[in-house]
Amino acid sequence: MFHESYLENPVSLHYRIHPSSPRTIHTGCDHRVHYTQGGGNMAFNPVQRAMEMESLVMKGERRKYYRFRYSLYYGGIVTADTVGCKFLCAYCWNYFRNLRPKRAGDFLSPEEVAERLLEISKKRKCDLFRISGAEPILGRRSAEHVRKVIELVNNTFILETNGLMFGFDPSLVDLFVNLNVLIRVSVKGWDEESFEKITGASGEYFRYQLKALEHLHGKVHFWVAVVYDLFREKGLKELEKRLPIPCRIEKEYLEMYP
Ligand code: SF4
């Protein structure tokens, strides 16, 4: 089953900032991430965007992927890169593919995805897996696709998600019960305002990220990750006050895009 060590001590991930990202966030350190959305009337409904996105990146049970690779994160992990997200985070390293997912990738069935992952796994002697580049869980069809990939690779899978749809629809959590999966929930703010600035989505939807933690609790192994450059100690403390249950929090750091 899963390696407890990933829960206790996952290697911190680094977000890469694309230099031509059109949005700006001041991080309080050397980084400056660009954004023009994420305030006032321009904020969007991320649940609606998730549904629209799912219809663009899913065809039946096939999902769009544009790359398969071995990555050094987590001490080595076989990675499938997909497209399509309900947020438009200012620091997203895959910002433009997620903005226009129609142009990127090919539709692949869970069997095709698992086959490519297992090929790399064999070559690199690595039995840890993940999906990256976008949000894996956009609704039921994409969640069922991910569940099938996890079953087929039949080894430890780290599901990196922003968790919004687990908060919106608790029945999606049940798809991942009793699987060899660890869920890493990237929480995008410490309150409604910071959430809106970071994601471009309306602040009122922040509550679904918190709800997700409640829904996962006791069913699936998970932890919370935050971008510390944006949160700093103040944001972290504010988030701790809002967490519905005690959670381990991993700090991750921004990294300039090469
Ligand atoms: S949630 Fe992740 S994939 Fe989606 S826009 Fe933000 S950083 Fe990119």
Side-chain angles (χ1 to χ4, degrees):
M1 282 301 280
F2 64 85
H3 303 303
E4 283 287 355
S5 58
Y6 296 120
L7 263 186
E8 296 308 320
N9 186 27
V11 176
S12 277
L13 295 188
H14 294 258
Y15 276 100
R16 286 179 288 161
I17 305 167
H18 197 289
S20 56
S21 169
R23 307 178 65 220
T24 303
I25 279 179
H26 294 277
T27 62
C29 59
D30 289 345
H31 305 299
R32 189 173 295 168
V33 191
H34 297 276
Y35 81 100
T36 50
Q37 284 174 288
N41 298 329
M42 291 183 74
F44 55 84
N45 174 337
V47 172
Q48 192 190 332
R49 186 177 156 82
M51 291 169 189
E52 290 165 2
M53 202 47 72
E54 190 172 63
S55 67
L56 287 179
V57 302
M58 292 292 302
K59 215 182 240 177
E61 60 166 20
R62 292 182 297 147
R63 177 156 185 170
K64 276 191 156 202
Y65 289 85
Y66 69 95
R67 182 172 61 175
F68 291 83
R69 62 193 164 108
Y70 172 79
S71 149
L72 294 175
Y73 293 122
Y74 302 99
I77 188 162
V78 182
T79 303
D81 286 313
T82 187
V83 284
C85 188
K86 59 187 83 70
F87 293 154
L88 278 174
C89 299
Y91 51 74
C92 184
W93 63 269
N94 217 9
Y95 187 92
F96 288 104
R97 280 198 195 88
N98 286 329
L99 187 65
R100 300 184 200 93
K102 260 189 181 174
R103 298 182 188 176
D106 297 307
F107 289 101
L108 298 178
S109 67
E111 288 78 9
E112 288 167 320
V113 176
E115 196 183 317
R116 295 199 193 184
L117 289 172
L118 289 168
E119 230 171 76
I120 300 173
S121 160
K122 204 170 154 194
K123 265 193 213 144
R124 304 303 300 245
K125 298 191 183 355
C126 173
D127 57 5
L128 186 61
F129 300 87
R130 70 169 176 164
I131 293 170
S132 184
E135 169 56 48
I137 311 297
L138 296 165
R140 183 156 293 275
R141 268 196 301 156
S142 49
E144 282 173 352
H145 169 95
V146 174
R147 179 201 153 94
K148 211 156 180 194
V149 171
I150 295 173
E151 283 173 341
L152 289 166
V153 298
N154 195 24
N155 234 311
T156 306
F157 205 100
I158 296 185
L159 176 53
E160 297 175 350
T161 176
N162 55 50
L164 192 92
M165 297 311 277
F166 286 140
F168 181 72
D169 179 357
S171 71
L172 294 180
V173 172
D174 298 333
L175 292 172
F176 297 92
V177 174
N178 294 330
L179 285 186
N180 190 358
V181 65
L182 305 172
I183 301 189
R184 177 180 187 271
V185 184
S186 181
V187 174
K188 302 293 181 184
W190 52 93
D191 59 14
E192 285 71 9
E193 198 187 333
S194 55
F195 170 88
E196 187 166 314
K197 276 191 178 154
I198 290 169
T199 64
S202 175
E204 65 187 284
Y205 292 90
F206 177 57
R207 70 182 190 278
Y208 289 125
Q209 283 215 289
L210 301 178
K211 274 267 165 223
L213 308 177
E214 240 176 273
H215 297 156
L216 289 165
H217 184 61
K219 290 189 165 183
V220 189
H221 291 272
F222 75 96
W223 75 95
V224 165
V226 301
V227 176
Y228 187 70
D229 309 69
L230 300 177
F231 277 63
R232 319 300 287 177
E233 278 311 301
K234 194 166 177 274
L236 209 51
K237 287 209 163 63
E238 289 301 316
L239 176 63
E240 276 164 0
K241 283 189 226 158
R242 299 282 302 265
L243 288 177
I245 45 155
C247 298
R248 199 179 67 72
I249 302 180
E250 172 200 347
K251 295 175 190 169
E252 56 187 338
Y253 298 91
L254 293 169
E255 181 181 292
M256 287 308 291
Y257 200 87

